[in-house]
Amino acid sequence: MWSIGELSKRVGVKVPTIRYYEETGLIEPPERSSGNQRRYGRQAMERLTFIRHARDLGLGIEAIRSLIDLSGHPEKPCEAADSIAREHLTEVRERIARLQRLEQELQRIVENCDSGAMCDCYVLRALSDHSLCESEH
């Protein structure tokens, strides 16, 4: 059994975040010691590790909640979990494409700036006038 501070260090999740996950039902309320201190077991650590990894992959709280609910039914097919992961993958790919467009536009803006006087700065002009952009971003 671990205290909330020990669990926080082991999993790499801040104490307020652990409390938030408890409040939102992602983690079961822990047992309490005779001094009313939270005491977490292996199951809580595994759940918190799962949540942290899912968050590191960019999954939202509701997707994580759904995956946790699905994990409680090991006899069922994993189509729903696969669907959640595929949907998130699509979102990630869309964000990457948007970031690549941003990168290209910023690169173009920087390359058009001759580092002269501020009154002639292409960066400032481009930021002030969206029509100077070559693509939608």
Side-chain angles (χ1 to χ4, degrees), residues 54-93:
R55 293 295 290 151
D56 287 348
L57 289 170
L59 286 158
I61 295 296
E62 288 310 311
I64 294 169
R65 184 181 313 284
S66 295
L67 290 167
I68 288 170
D69 290 343
L70 291 167
S71 71
H73 303 282
E75 73 287 352
K76 290 188 175 183
C78 72
E79 291 174 55
D82 182 61
S83 176
I84 291 168
R86 286 179 185 279
E87 183 178 314
H88 185 60
L89 177 59
T90 298
E91 292 168 5
V92 167
R93 286 179 172 155

Side-chain angles (χ1 to χ4, degrees), residues 113-122 124-125:
C113 187
D114 62 6
S115 299
M118 288 301 284
C119 61
D120 297 323
C121 181
Y122 189 79
L124 297 178
R125 276 197 324 244

Side-chain angles (χ1 to χ4, degrees), residues 26-107:
L26 290 178
I27 296 176
E28 294 292 321
E31 295 178 18
R32 297 282 184 153
S33 69
S34 58
N36 204 30
Q37 183 183 39
R38 289 174 167 92
R39 301 303 293 170
Y40 298 88
R42 179 154 305 282
Q43 186 176 2
M45 186 173 75
E46 289 170 358
R47 171 70 61 87
L48 188 56
T49 300
F50 176 91
I51 295 167
R52 178 174 182 238
H53 191 195
R55 293 295 290 151
D56 287 348
L57 289 170
L59 286 158
I61 295 296
E62 288 310 311
I64 294 169
R65 184 181 313 284
S66 295
L67 290 167
I68 288 170
D69 290 343
L70 291 167
S71 71
H73 303 282
E75 73 287 352
K76 290 188 175 183
C78 72
E79 291 174 55
D82 182 61
S83 176
I84 291 168
R86 286 179 185 279
E87 183 178 314
H88 185 60
L89 177 59
T90 298
E91 292 168 5
V92 167
R93 286 179 172 155
E94 288 169 358
R95 275 189 299 212
I96 290 170
R98 190 171 60 249
L99 286 170
Q100 287 173 332
R101 289 190 303 273
L102 286 173
E103 177 189 33
Q104 291 168 359
E105 187 60 31
L106 284 169
Q107 181 68 37

